[in-house]
Amino acid sequence: MNAHSAPPAAAAPVVALRNVHKSFGPLKVLDGVSFTVPRGEVMVLIGRSGSGKSTALRCIDRFETIDNGEIEVCGRRVDDARLDVRALRQDVGIVFQSYNLFPHLTIEENITLAPHSVKKVPKAEARALAAKVLAQVGLEEKLHAYPEQLSGGQQQRAAIARSLAMQPKVMLFDEVTSALDPELTGEVLKVIEALATEGMTMVLVTHEMSFARGIADQVVFMHKGKVHEAGSADILSSPSTPELAQFVGTGL
Amino acid sequence: MGLELDFSVVLERWRALLDGAALTLQLAFIAVICGAAIGVFGAIGRRGGNALVERLCGAYVEAIRNTPLLVQIFLVYFGLSSLGLKFSAFTVAAVALTINVGAYTTEIMRAGFDSIHKGQIEAAEGLGLSRAQIYWHVIIWPGIERVYPALTSQFVLLMLASSVTSQISAEELTAVANYIQSETYRSFETYIVVAFIYIALSFVMRFGFWLLGLALFPRRRRLGTPL
Ligand SMILES: Nc1ncnc2c1ncn2[C@@H]1O[C@H](COP(=O)(O)OP(=O)(O)OP(=O)(O)O)[C@@H](O)[C@H]1O
Ligand SMILES: [Mg+2]
């Protein structure tokens, strides 16, 4: 590569972690983590409870600051103390296990809030956007419902729609189906699959192994704060480390 | 010898009683509006990061909660006059009541704001909302909705407590009562009538807050369940 010209935008990864270290007090949670997510790819993070998956995800969106290493997201250095955090978060959508819809607002208001107040999208346009993203997750008829009137699966889909309305360049999902029973899990996973098909760049933490196998361009297995094994979805069926073998073997 | 009650001389002075009741409501109205504003900022101050501001707000709340209202009123009254400032009894009463209810409102609103789950705030942060936007949309409104019944009670209590300002001759309802009973020598009757007027004022206020609640909290209006 020519050192004097910037690399072409298409080649720049959407998310890149380089040798990231992070401790909570004496507890080392990320111990030199590196991975790269190119545009349009889906990366699945797996690992035992406490292995640092959520922390890694939260570092990407600057919910945690790191001790050492580099994080680059959509051309921004997230580890830079002068980072414009709000600008970063307009490019990154994040969905948590607990849906965290705003209970006092209708689904439509939940969705239009950020586009209208952050991006200054006019009200009418924001409402059209809400209808569009709700259709995308199959909830168009719930526009005027309140969160508590929705099932868990519907709430999670609404939360995804709320993130999509900001038109993020990358979506982060942290165990978004863990609070749902199998039937509701299916409807949420379908929405995520559709997003993958449309070319959305995604990083997702999940315990749904068959889902991971189907959707992942890349699987990263974390163990004790390190990337213990990484590769294509094939590593799930033929793991090369005993730890991953044990992890997929237990069916976790 | 039975009890002989004669309300006529008291009720004859309905005009004065009405004026007094109106002034009581005015005092309550001013103190509630200003006190609610103080409460929002006080609660944010008590939560928000800056240690000095936190201490100041905490000291304010504790000072008010641990002194009698009458003493607070005298402090404002004599404090202002010793600074050479001359205000009407009504103004002094309004200021003192505002300071008083502002402290209680700070505590109630803080409880409301603290009840907002951390996940709500993270979700808002993840959407790129600014700190002020998060406060306004995600903390203040739902926080107030949660503690609205407690706020309403506090505000009605304040209206009743405003009777103490008769001590500095604010011409509110109790001051009018004092005057009427000294004129008519019908003390018992006077205070019976005044008690009923206070009850009526309480009902008026509660009804007003109920209507306001319907306007402010559409989710509650539509679903009827507490947040
Ligand atoms: N804010 C925090 N303060 C202190 N320790 C924390 C904090 N957040 C996470 N940890 C600890 O860091 C470790 C990694 O946590 P993390 O949530 O990243 O794990 P995980 O892989 O997502 O686990 P799970 O599958 O249970 O969600 C855990 O031991 C956890 O207790
Ligand atoms: Mg986790």
Side-chain angles (χ1 to χ4, degrees):
Chain A
M1 190 195 295
N2 185 344
H4 298 289
S5 66
V14 177
V15 176
L17 276 72
R18 299 183 194 102
N19 198 24
V20 170
H21 291 261
K22 165 81 187 169
S23 300
F24 288 113
L27 180 69
K28 186 113 201 170
V29 178
L30 298 180
D31 191 4
V33 170
S34 302
F35 58 70
T36 301
V37 189
R39 187 172 310 283
E41 285 206 356
V42 177
M43 199 198 87
V44 172
L45 267 180
I46 56 172
R48 250 175 244 304
S49 180
S51 57
K53 309 178 296 293
S54 296
T55 306
L57 212 62
R58 291 168 60 82
C59 288
I60 295 173
D61 209 7
R62 211 16 148 80
F63 278 110
E64 308 288 354
T65 50
I66 64 175
D67 305 331
N68 230 312
E70 281 178 19
I71 300 182
E72 195 182 317
V73 177
C74 302
R76 286 193 180 80
R77 282 286 294 271
V78 178
D79 52 292
D80 185 342
R82 294 157 308 173
L83 169 78
D84 180 349
V85 178
R86 291 182 61 204
L88 167 76
R89 287 175 179 165
Q90 289 184 44
D91 286 343
V92 180
I94 187 161
V95 183
F96 304 96
Q97 177 181 335
S98 48
Y99 339 114
N100 292 322
L101 291 168
F102 306 125
H104 60 300
L105 302 178
T106 63
I107 299 302
E108 183 182 55
E109 291 164 342
N110 262 277
I111 296 174
T112 55
L113 176 61
H116 180 65
S117 50
V118 177
K119 285 187 168 175
K120 310 296 172 206
V121 174
K123 274 263 162 70
E125 211 174 298
R127 278 198 286 267
L129 190 62
K132 190 188 126 213
V133 292
L134 272 181
Q136 223 174 324
V137 301
L139 282 179
E140 46 278 70
E141 80 283 13
K142 297 295 184 188
L143 206 57
H144 300 296
Y146 283 92
E148 70 193 83
Q149 298 174 299
L150 271 54
S151 74
Q154 291 172 330
Q155 288 193 47
Q156 192 56 288
R157 287 187 279 151
I160 294 172
R162 180 175 65 178
S163 270
L164 290 176
M166 286 300 276
Q167 296 166 320
K169 300 194 174 91
V170 53
M171 287 284 288
L172 312 176
F173 294 93
D174 192 359
E175 296 193 36
V176 293
T177 60
S178 295
L180 303 173
D181 62 39
E183 194 183 339
L184 300 183
T185 294
E187 67 185 37
V188 173
L189 295 184
K190 245 187 247 155
V191 166
I192 298 176
E193 266 163 10
L195 279 178
T197 313
E198 288 161 26
M200 176 65 81
T201 310
M202 296 191 276
V203 180
L204 44 108
V205 175
T206 183
H207 287 299
E208 305 282 335
M209 283 308 138
S210 60
F211 172 68
R213 209 168 274 131
I215 198 173
D217 296 303
Q218 208 189 144
V219 174
V220 166
F221 171 61
M222 290 192 58
H223 185 66
K224 296 186 172 164
K226 287 184 160 65
V227 174
H228 198 76
E229 194 172 339
S232 71
D234 296 340
I235 66 168
L236 295 173
S237 11
S238 46
S240 50
T241 62
E243 288 80 8
L244 180 55
Q246 199 196 353
F247 179 75
V248 292
T250 56
L252 268 174
Chain B
M1 192 65 213
L3 187 60
E4 261 185 56
L5 294 177
D6 177 10
F7 287 99
S8 60
V9 285
V10 178
L11 295 175
E12 225 157 64
R13 290 163 169 79
W14 62 271
R15 204 61 255 178
L17 288 167
L18 209 63
D19 286 347
L23 212 83
T24 290
L25 272 187
Q26 267 179 54
L27 275 176
F29 187 78
I30 293 170
V32 163
I33 301 277
C34 302
I38 291 177
V40 170
F41 287 109
I44 292 173
R46 281 204 91 172
R47 287 163 44 87
N50 186 319
L52 179 67
V53 175
E54 245 167 75
R55 290 253 181 80
L56 282 175
C57 294
Y60 162 57
V61 169
E62 290 312 319
I64 296 300
R65 288 206 306 184
N66 293 294
T67 50
L69 175 57
L70 184 56
V71 171
Q72 294 162 16
I73 292 168
F74 282 143
L75 282 174
V76 173
Y77 185 73
F78 293 116
L80 287 177
S81 65
S82 74
L83 290 174
L85 299 168
K86 200 79 193 94
F87 289 106
S88 69
F90 179 84
T91 307
V92 172
V95 169
L97 291 173
T98 296
I99 292 173
N100 178 271
V101 79
Y104 287 97
T105 308
T106 295
E107 265 319 83
I108 296 172
M109 289 206 182
R110 181 171 75 136
F113 297 174
D114 284 351
S115 79
I116 304 301
H117 197 269
K118 189 167 142 279
Q120 291 279 306
I121 295 161
E122 281 198 343
E125 285 173 347
L127 291 166
L129 270 71
S130 69
R131 219 172 128 66
Q133 288 168 338
I134 293 172
Y135 253 110
W136 181 248
H137 293 289
V138 180
I139 300 178
I140 293 179
W141 282 110
I144 290 179
E145 182 169 348
R146 289 245 171 87
V147 295
Y148 193 65
L151 280 177
T152 303
S153 296
Q154 188 63 48
F155 293 157
V156 171
L157 216 58
L158 165 92
M159 184 275 291
L160 299 176
S162 73
S163 106
V164 176
T165 64
S166 61
Q167 293 289 318
I168 55 164
S169 316
E171 307 267 289
E172 46 66 68
L173 185 53
T174 301
V176 170
N178 295 344
Y179 169 74
I180 290 177
Q181 66 95 22
S182 70
E183 239 189 7
T184 61
Y185 302 106
R186 290 286 177 184
S187 308
F188 190 38
E189 290 89 335
T190 305
Y191 290 111
I192 287 177
V193 170
V194 164
F196 275 105
I197 298 176
Y198 273 114
I199 289 173
L201 292 183
S202 295
F203 273 112
V204 167
M205 272 185 86
R206 284 186 193 282
F207 181 68
F209 281 118
W210 178 74
L211 285 179
L212 185 66
L214 291 184
L216 292 180
F217 313 121
R219 191 205 65 90
R220 166 127 214 181
R221 182 175 69 232
R222 277 182 47 199
L223 304 187
T225 51
L227 191 62

